[in-house]
Amino acid sequence: ESCRVRLVPSCKVPPDVPAERVLKGRVVWITGASSGIGEELAYQLADVGARLVLSARREGELERVRRACLERSRLREEDVVVLPLDLLDRASHREITAAVLRHFGQIDVLVNNGGRSQRSLFLDSDVDVYKALMELNFLGTVSITKEVLPHMIRRGTGTVTTVSSIVGIAGAPLSTGYSASKHALQGFFNSLRSELSDNPGITISTICPGPVQSNIVQNAFTEELGKSVSAQADQQHKMTTPRCARLILVGVANRVWEMWIGQQPFLSYFYVWQYAPTLAWRLTNILGRKRVRNFKAGLDADSAYFTKAKAS
C-alpha cells in the first residue's frame, strides 16, 4: 500500500471512480504549479482533459509547464491559462480570482499547493522565518480559499484541495515552523469542513504526503531569511512525484476528505501517530536525535531516518 485515505461517508461518486471521467472538462486552479507536485498535477490533469489555471510567482516556469500541458494533451490554447500569483500579496487575490472567473466562468477545483518548507533548528532560527512560513503557507492559502469558496457555494458545487504534509499530523525536527504552518492548515480546513456541512456539494480535501521527490528542500527556509539550504537531500527513499500526483487525482475524483500518501516505512509512521501517539513521541525522539546530529555534522539530514546518511 502506498496511501491511506478517509473517504467521504456520503460521497455521491462511486469509490475508485476513474479520474478521467470526473475531471474531464473541469476547471482546476493549481497554486505552486511551477515545480514539484503542482507541476506534475498540471501534467496529469491535462492528460485527463481538465482545463487549467496555473499559478505561482515564476511566470517563465509557468509558461514552460503550460507548453508541456498543451503538447501532451488535446487541450486548446485557451484551456490552459497562466496567472502569476504571490501568496504573500493578499490584496491581489480577489482580482486574480476574478480574472479566472472572467476567463472560464467557473472554478470546479482549487488546489492549494503553494508554499515552502524549512530546514533549520529552532534555537538557531530568526522569528522572522516563522512569520514568513505562517504568512505564506497558512495565511496565503486561507486568503485564496476565501476568495474562491463563495463562488463554489453559489454554484452549489466545488472542491478545495489543500496539500498539507505528514508534519501537519506528526512533528519533525528541523521543521518546527513548517510543521506549525501545516498543523494550522489541518485545523483550519477540518473546522471549515464542519462549517460547510449544510453545503453537501462542497468538498474540503486535505492531502498529507510523506517524503516526495521534488525541489522542496532546495527552496526551503533556513535559519535566516534569504539564506539557502547548503546540503541537498538524498531523494532515493522518497515517493516519485508522478505517483504522488496520481494518488492525489484519485482522491480529488472520489471527493476524499483526507488522504495520507507515502511509501513504507513512512506510511506506517502515519498510523503510529494516529493510533499510538505515546509510542510515536518516543520513536520521533529517537529518529529525530539522529537527524539533528547528522544535520549539525553537515550530512544529509533527510536520509537519516531509515537510511545511512552520506556526506553531501
Side-chain angles (χ1 to χ4, degrees):
E1 292 293 332
S2 56
C3 72
R4 187 270 192 187
V5 301
R6 291 178 183 161
L7 287 173
V8 181
S10 59
C11 183
K12 296 180 181 178
V13 181
D16 301 322
V17 65
E20 293 82 356
R21 197 175 83 193
V22 176
L23 298 172
K24 183 178 181 179
R26 300 293 179 90
V27 176
V28 182
W29 185 4
I30 308 171
T31 70
S34 61
S35 63
I37 292 174
E39 177 180 353
E40 184 60 36
L41 276 173
Y43 296 152
Q44 295 195 25
L45 283 163
D47 290 343
V48 302
R51 294 177 289 170
L52 300 172
V53 181
L54 307 177
S55 289
R57 291 181 302 163
R58 298 177 295 171
E59 187 171 2
E61 289 300 300
L62 290 174
E63 290 292 350
R64 176 185 59 79
V65 175
R66 178 179 183 272
R67 289 193 300 270
C69 287
L70 292 171
E71 290 170 359
R72 65 186 292 156
S73 71
R74 296 182 178 180
L75 294 174
R76 301 166 298 178
E77 291 281 338
E78 61 268 26
D79 290 333
V80 185
V81 176
V82 165
L83 279 179
L85 169 71
D86 185 350
L87 287 174
L88 295 175
D89 184 11
R90 296 195 293 274
S92 69
H93 294 174
R94 178 164 298 180
E95 175 53 35
I96 293 174
T97 303
V100 176
L101 294 175
R102 283 194 298 269
H103 185 87
F104 284 118
Q106 66 192 65
I107 301 171
D108 296 297
V109 180
L110 170 64
V111 180
N112 288 314
N113 178 65
R116 290 177 65 183
S117 185
Q118 178 191 14
R119 287 296 182 275
S120 62
L121 294 165
F122 169 66
L123 291 177
D124 296 336
S125 301
D126 294 340
V127 173
D128 286 344
V129 171
Y130 291 82
K131 179 182 178 182
L133 280 160
M134 294 302 293
E135 290 273 356
L136 178 63
N137 294 356
F138 177 62
L139 289 177
T141 297
V142 169
S143 177
I144 287 291
T145 301
K146 187 170 178 62
E147 298 302 332
V148 173
L149 190 56
H151 161 74
M152 292 181 172
I153 291 174
R154 286 193 297 271
R155 294 184 66 223
T157 183
T159 297
V160 177
T161 297
T162 301
V163 179
S164 179
S165 169
I166 184 175
V167 299
I169 297 173
L174 309 177
S175 300
T176 49
Y178 179 67
S179 180
S181 70
K182 295 300 185 178
H183 272 74
L185 287 174
Q186 293 286 126
F188 173 80
F189 283 106
N190 285 340
S191 300
L192 179 60
R193 186 183 300 111
S194 180
E195 286 187 11
L196 298 174
S197 57
D198 286 335
N199 297 273
I202 307 298
T203 299
I204 302 297
S205 176
T206 308
I207 310 298
C208 300
V212 175
Q213 294 176 9
S214 72
N215 58 358
I216 188 171
V217 175
Q218 178 183 345
N219 297 326
F221 283 103
T222 60
E223 63 271 16
E224 299 176 9
L225 293 177
K227 183 179 179 181
S228 60
V229 175
S230 57
Q232 297 303 311
D234 180 0
Q235 305 256 0
Q236 294 181 358
H237 60 287
K238 301 179 180 182
M239 175 178 282
T240 64
T241 308
R243 176 60 175 161
C244 178
R246 177 60 187 175
L247 291 171
I248 292 174
L249 257 61
V250 171
V252 172
N254 287 278
R255 297 179 61 188
V256 173
W257 283 357
E258 184 172 290
M259 190 171 187
W260 302 350
I261 299 175
Q263 295 188 152
Q264 297 293 8
F266 300 104
L267 190 62
S268 296
Y269 194 60
F270 278 102
Y271 280 94
V272 175
W273 267 100
Q274 181 73 12
Y275 300 111
T278 301
L279 175 60
W281 294 333
R282 295 179 183 275
L283 183 62
T284 300
N285 286 343
I286 294 171
L287 297 175
R289 187 178 300 114
K290 179 180 178 183
R291 190 169 194 245
V292 170
R293 287 174 178 171
N294 278 275
F295 177 78
K296 288 182 175 179
L299 301 176
D300 179 8
D302 263 7
S303 64
Y305 280 120
F306 302 103
T307 61
K308 184 178 180 180
K310 299 177 181 179
S312 58

